[in-house]
Amino acid sequence: MLTEADTCRLYVLPKLYAAGWSDEQIREQVTFTDGRILPIGQGARRQPGKRADYILRYRPDMALAVVEAKPESSPAGEGMQQAKEYAEILGLKFAYASNGLDILEFDYTTGQERELPAFPAPDELWRRLLQAEQLTGDAAERLLTPAYHLGGWTPRYYQEIAINRAVQSILQGRRRMLLTMATGTGKTKVAFQICWKLWNTRWNREGSHRRPRILYLADRNILIDDPKDKDFAPFGDARHKIENGEAVKSREMYFAIYQAIAKDERRPGLYREYDRGFFDLVIVDECHRGSARDESSWREILEYFEPSYQIGMTATPLREDNRDTYRYFGNPIYTYSLRQGIADGFLAPYRVHRVITTWDAAGWRPSPSDLDRYGREIPDEEYHTTDFERRVALRARTEAVARHVTAHLRATDRFGKTLVFCVDQEHADEMRRALGNLNADLMRQHPDYVCRVTSDEGFIGRGHLSHFQDVERPTPVILTTSQLLTTGVDMPTVKNVALVRVINSMTEFKQIIGRGSRVRDDQGKWFFNILDYTGSATRMFADPDFDGEPAAIIEQDIGDGQVVEPLPEMPEAPAEPELAEAAPPLADEPPAERRKFYFDGGQVEIAAHLVYELDVDGRQLRVVKFTDYTAEKVRALYRSAAELRGQWADPQHRRAIIEKLAERGIAFDDVARVANQPDADPLDLLCHLAFNAPLRTRRERAQRLRSEKKDFFERFGPAARQVLDELLEKYTEHGTAQFLLPDALEVPPLNRHGNVIEIAALFGGEQRLLAAVNELQSLLYAA
């Protein structure tokens, strides 16, 4: 009987060759996602990525169809559902399924499924696609222009879709477009490739023989300088940044922040020195940040350049706080969400730690005699989380948060890159000082271990930020900030994001957590932690529009052990100005003009700590302890303790059980630690949690085996008996991993008996050694 692999090799591939497809056009066994990352303790593992049997490409950057093969003994139709699923993910219009004898086609351009005698030829499939998309020959050739691949960059599947859809929309005459792609998915790379394709084909609005003039707009210098100097470097001297009031017109790839070209009280707007039709294409990065709002002066710039084609790029799906953006640019031509990025394994999952101080839980009220730092009487009322650091600054609360952040780093990785988002620049400075003092041992060795990066720091802050982004530099480790780092900054190794200010905007929340969403396998960065001290993340995850929620909720008590319910929705506090020029330093103001009170007394503790994390299904679960979550998953896999024990005794079945639980985010070391049972046998602990079975330690199991199964040991000679006894002792100390051969025989004390071959000889050969160890394990778990 032919397998699926046989079908591919003997039937499908020859039929593709016969239809005219070449080896360059046929991509076989293509894994197009990395596979979801499952955090397990402080480590992680990946699920398998999605793999298509064949992806058919007309040109290297233009995929047309997916082909799924089935064994000869199965109907071809059994592969159609998977073929269609992959075609929809990959944005393809043609899906094929074949068992080697029959070929089925589903054509998304007609909605029809039919049986074919042979695969269509590449030119035929391309012609059908052009006809469905109403593309002419000239536009089609421009669409097929190669992407920029120098340096080894290959687009991920969703990036290729976004690039091709944007270029196709422009070639079809669509004037305004929107691309919605989650933070960390490479929007800047997509923008570069769009520009590169159009620039190389000499596309322009007028159809004349010249390269296009393109304007790349954003609202912060860091969003302009990084792309210009890095991603867009292949444009060479064609690049120019519009600044210092000069309207240079001799280049082709322009970069500008709105503020540099918008009107102000001194000038009518530098943008007006360019003709309305000067730019062929305008790309607006992070366009949700106000560029398309009706009341924004920035909107004037986009309307002035109305003859140009305009592409908006954002990380946030449609919501009330960015509705104007969608109204201006229209519905997205392509969306790649946070949820999809995590499911594909291109974005890091995260744990959310809901941490509540005693003052956040119950509120804070000054005593009648309390005066602030400057001798002022503090108004007698109850203050809550939204008031902290805006109406009243509480040094004790800042220090409590700093202690908790420090404790988290000590428990995980003291050099794990950490961002702390504070209420304002002054608060960021207080937090910097508190964190620095708590980590004085490292500050002595690394004076930049903790730094503040806000608009007030200017070039010094940018230097700290640059070092923080550098994956090769260990410091700075902790950056405190307010608004400056919420968006557009690539920080691939961030492991912790601490929220010490209230965030009610979903748009801003997604931008902030996007700082930690990059995956860096080479740096061991698989997931990240969100330390939520204000309840902001908790509320966002409850929002039905959120598309990447954490799931399993693990409860940990800190301090007095009190568990506090999540805080209710809080009114939006006024945001700090985002631009450096807008916020004068508070330290220079006289006390009478200070906008908040400063209380330096009191004592604050952590009242509760809840940990939320994504499970394998990406669903949000009720609040449960990790031990309850483990018990639930075990019961879902096995109906009784007897069934679990029966499979556990066999080493191969045991490996399968461990694998199944690991896929659900359960590692025995974590279960034993949380249950406070470090000496328990893994099987007994699982049965105890899931089925309330008696709990035994590994030593109790070993002693029972030695006393009740003496006849087993007596079957072997003294030297072989000693090997088995030492294996059993190593199990007692360290667990079932000690039965793994030959590894267990290569370390003390067992390696004193000789090498693996010499030890096997004590049992009469390798097979007898394996049989003896397997029987030892079976007897160990016989009851």
Side-chain angles (χ1 to χ4, degrees):
M1 182 182 296
L2 295 181
T3 65
E4 186 175 308
D6 294 331
T7 301
C8 289
R9 186 178 66 256
L10 298 176
Y11 292 107
V12 177
L13 198 55
K15 288 190 175 186
L16 288 171
Y17 288 147
W21 296 90
S22 66
D23 286 330
E24 290 73 24
Q25 294 174 305
I26 301 170
R27 305 293 170 87
E28 189 172 1
Q29 296 299 311
V30 181
T31 301
F32 57 89
T33 71
D34 283 356
R36 180 194 286 272
I37 297 170
L38 300 176
I40 301 176
Q42 292 305 313
R45 55 166 292 154
R46 282 189 185 271
Q47 291 182 319
K50 289 183 170 63
R51 174 178 291 188
D53 289 332
Y54 296 97
I55 293 178
L56 305 181
R57 291 182 170 274
Y58 189 65
R59 297 278 177 84
D61 298 309
M62 181 57 63
L64 291 182
V66 62
V67 180
E68 282 300 307
K70 285 297 170 185
E72 183 185 29
S73 58
S74 301
E78 285 190 7
M80 182 51 74
Q81 286 298 107
Q82 188 174 58
K84 290 172 67 176
E85 177 192 348
Y86 288 173
E88 289 163 19
I89 292 172
L90 297 169
L92 305 178
K93 297 299 185 184
F94 306 101
Y96 296 91
S98 176
N99 61 0
L101 303 175
D102 304 317
I103 299 172
L104 290 179
E105 175 193 75
F106 185 81
D107 184 344
Y108 282 88
T109 67
T110 64
Q112 293 185 336
E113 183 175 324
R114 58 179 178 157
E115 190 169 343
L116 301 177
F119 287 105
D123 287 336
E124 178 192 343
L125 219 52
W126 178 239
R127 178 186 54 77
R128 287 163 58 185
L129 180 63
L130 294 182
Q131 184 178 353
E133 300 292 339
Q134 298 181 341
L135 283 168
T136 64
D138 183 55
E141 281 306 309
R142 284 197 161 111
L143 184 58
L144 292 174
T145 301
Y148 184 88
H149 290 289
L150 294 181
W153 182 81
T154 301
R156 293 170 174 168
Y157 80 86
Y158 64 85
Q159 294 170 332
E160 184 175 286
I161 296 172
I163 293 163
N164 288 336
R165 286 197 184 172
V167 172
Q168 179 177 322
S169 296
I170 290 172
L171 295 174
Q172 290 172 322
R174 183 166 178 169
R175 292 284 177 162
R176 293 179 185 172
M177 292 145 279
L178 183 66
L179 287 171
T180 301
M181 299 173 64
T183 300
T185 57
K187 291 192 299 295
T188 307
K189 286 183 170 61
V190 167
F192 163 72
Q193 295 289 354
I194 292 169
C195 296
W196 184 259
K197 279 179 167 258
L198 296 173
W199 191 70
N200 274 295
T201 61
R202 295 183 178 269
W203 167 88
N204 57 73
R205 241 177 358 94
E206 304 155 351
S208 56
H209 187 69
R210 64 171 177 83
R211 295 191 189 275
R213 292 185 289 266
I214 302 171
L215 175 62
Y216 189 96
L217 268 177
D219 70 333
R220 294 183 179 182
N221 277 306
I222 197 166
L223 298 179
I224 290 298
D225 295 339
D226 246 27
K228 180 180 75 71
D229 297 337
K230 296 176 183 177
D231 294 276
F232 285 78
F235 280 95
D237 292 338
R239 295 168 297 162
H240 174 72
K241 182 180 179 181
I242 303 173
E243 57 186 345
N244 301 323
E246 297 180 18
V248 174
K249 301 178 182 179
S250 59
R251 307 296 176 86
E252 291 155 349
M253 189 69 234
Y254 295 82
F255 298 83
I257 60 171
Y258 296 107
Q259 298 86 339
I261 62 176
K263 70 177 181 181
D264 55 30
E265 64 278 2
R266 296 169 298 167
R267 59 191 182 193
L270 185 63
Y271 69 91
R272 292 185 177 275
E273 296 191 24
Y274 294 91
D275 292 336
R276 289 172 58 85
F278 181 82
F279 295 109
D280 299 288
L281 174 65
V282 177
I283 295 180
V284 186
D285 192 20
E286 307 289 358
C287 64
H288 62 275
R289 293 175 55 79
S291 62
R293 290 181 188 166
D294 289 330
E295 69 274 13
S296 173
S297 62
W298 301 341
R299 175 73 171 265
E300 292 181 14
I301 299 173
L302 297 182
E303 291 180 342
Y304 178 81
F305 292 122
E306 186 273 336
S308 68
Y309 287 72
Q310 298 179 5
I311 299 177
M313 306 190 77
T314 181
T316 57
L318 174 64
R319 292 182 57 83
E320 281 303 320
D321 56 2
N322 64 1
R323 187 168 295 276
D324 290 333
T325 298
Y326 280 73
R327 186 180 296 118
Y328 182 83
F329 288 104
N331 290 325
I333 58 175
Y334 183 63
T335 297
Y336 189 74
S337 67
L338 176 66
R339 182 194 300 275
Q340 190 64 49
I342 292 173
D344 287 343
F346 296 129
L347 295 181
Y350 42 86
R351 292 184 174 129
V352 180
H353 301 246
R354 177 63 178 106
V355 186
I356 306 169
T357 74
T358 48
W359 285 355
D360 287 273
W364 175 79
R365 188 167 190 165
S367 300
S369 60
D370 284 341
L371 300 178
D372 87 340
R373 187 183 304 165
Y374 301 99
R376 296 177 298 173
E377 184 177 339
I378 303 172
D380 183 18
E381 57 183 279
E382 192 169 277
Y383 298 88
H384 294 279
T385 303
T386 49
D387 303 312
F388 298 154
E389 305 306 324
R390 293 193 179 278
R391 298 181 61 205
V392 57
L394 303 173
R395 177 172 288 175
R397 177 176 176 268
T398 297
E399 291 174 347
V401 170
R403 285 196 300 273
H404 187 271
V405 171
T406 299
H408 173 78
L409 290 175
R410 287 179 184 273
T412 54
D413 176 8
R414 291 194 75 184
F415 284 87
K417 296 293 180 77
T418 302
L419 287 173
V420 183
F421 287 93
C422 303
V423 172
D424 54 27
Q425 299 190 53
E426 185 181 33
H427 186 212
D429 190 54
E430 292 271 357
M431 186 65 70
R432 175 197 60 78
R433 187 177 303 111
L435 286 166
N437 290 337
L438 288 166
N439 292 277
D441 58 328
L442 291 178
M443 290 289 284
R444 281 197 300 271
Q445 304 171 48
H446 308 281
D448 62 343
Y449 181 80
V450 184
C451 297
R452 183 181 78 154
V453 175
T454 64
S455 55
D456 280 356
E457 267 77 29
F459 288 112
I460 295 176
R462 288 190 181 279
H464 292 319
L465 175 58
S466 177
H467 293 162
F468 185 83
Q469 292 175 278
D470 188 345
V471 297
E472 302 299 329
R473 295 186 66 112
T475 58
V477 171
I478 305 174
L479 293 188
T480 66
T481 186
S482 56
Q483 294 274 351
L484 192 63
L485 305 181
T486 57
T487 184
V489 182
D490 188 14
M491 300 176 175
T493 56
V494 167
K495 291 187 175 180
N496 306 291
V497 176
L499 306 178
V500 201
R501 65 179 174 89
V502 175
I503 302 164
N504 282 330
S505 164
M506 180 67 78
T507 299
E508 184 180 13
F509 175 68
K510 284 191 174 183
Q511 291 292 325
I512 286 176
I513 66 172
R515 300 312 101 213
S517 63
R518 275 74 168 177
V519 176
R520 282 300 296 258
D521 300 75
D522 58 330
Q523 298 287 326
K525 195 296 185 72
W526 302 90
F527 63 93
F528 67 104
N529 297 286
I530 301 172
L531 308 178
D532 178 15
Y533 297 94
T534 64
S536 299
T538 308
R539 290 193 307 279
M540 293 303 172
F541 297 139
D543 190 318
D545 291 335
F546 187 75
D547 67 343
E549 70 276 358
I553 302 173
I554 306 164
E555 181 179 316
Q556 290 178 273
D557 292 336
I558 296 180
D560 60 10
Q562 177 188 7
V563 177
V564 185
E565 292 297 316
L567 298 175
E569 176 88 15
M570 298 180 183
E572 185 73 68
E576 274 292 292
E578 294 175 358
L579 301 175
E581 301 76 31
L586 294 169
D588 296 335
E589 299 172 358
E593 297 180 15
R594 294 183 184 275
R595 58 185 174 88
K596 55 185 173 182
F597 295 91
Y598 301 81
F599 182 69
D600 297 338
Q603 185 172 355
V604 186
E605 300 295 335
I606 300 299
H609 180 168
L610 301 174
V611 183
Y612 299 59
E613 61 182 312
L614 287 161
D615 73 356
V616 64
D617 302 316
R619 294 194 301 262
Q620 187 167 356
L621 306 177
R622 63 191 183 279
V623 178
V624 294
K625 292 183 178 179
F626 184 53
T627 50
D628 294 337
Y629 171 77
T630 301
E632 181 181 310
K633 294 303 179 184
V634 171
R635 287 193 295 268
L637 292 169
Y638 305 98
R639 290 170 294 181
S640 66
E643 181 184 357
L644 177 56
R645 284 195 184 99
Q647 295 199 34
W648 186 270
D650 184 285
Q652 290 186 345
H653 288 163
R654 187 187 314 139
R655 281 194 291 271
I657 294 170
I658 293 171
E659 185 76 12
K660 287 179 183 177
L661 294 176
E663 288 174 356
R664 289 155 178 80
I666 298 169
F668 291 121
D669 289 345
D670 292 326
V671 177
R673 177 178 52 79
V674 173
N676 196 27
Q677 297 290 343
D679 299 323
D681 180 87
L683 171 64
D684 292 315
L685 183 55
L686 292 177
C687 290
H688 175 70
L689 294 175
F691 306 108
N692 202 30
L695 187 61
R696 294 176 180 171
T697 65
R698 295 189 297 275
R699 186 164 296 281
E700 286 172 338
R701 274 201 175 274
Q703 288 173 345
R704 183 190 60 80
L705 176 61
R706 287 189 177 104
S707 61
E708 296 181 7
K709 299 294 179 180
K710 293 180 181 178
D711 57 330
F712 166 73
F713 293 96
E714 290 171 355
R715 286 163 34 197
F716 303 96
R721 250 195 332 266
Q722 187 176 355
V723 169
L724 293 174
D725 191 67
E726 289 173 357
L727 276 173
L728 198 57
E729 188 60 32
K730 285 181 72 66
Y731 152 78
T732 299
E733 296 176 3
H734 304 292
T736 56
Q738 304 309 313
F739 294 129
L740 185 63
L741 301 182
D743 300 8
L745 306 178
E746 296 172 344
V747 294
L750 287 127
N751 62 359
R752 290 201 294 265
H753 299 280
N755 59 36
V756 174
I757 295 175
E758 291 170 334
I759 294 174
L762 300 176
F763 291 81
E766 179 184 342
Q767 293 304 315
R768 290 189 177 184
L769 168 63
L770 290 173
V773 174
N774 285 341
E775 187 177 356
L776 174 70
Q777 296 177 72
S778 297
L779 293 173
L780 182 67
Y781 290 110

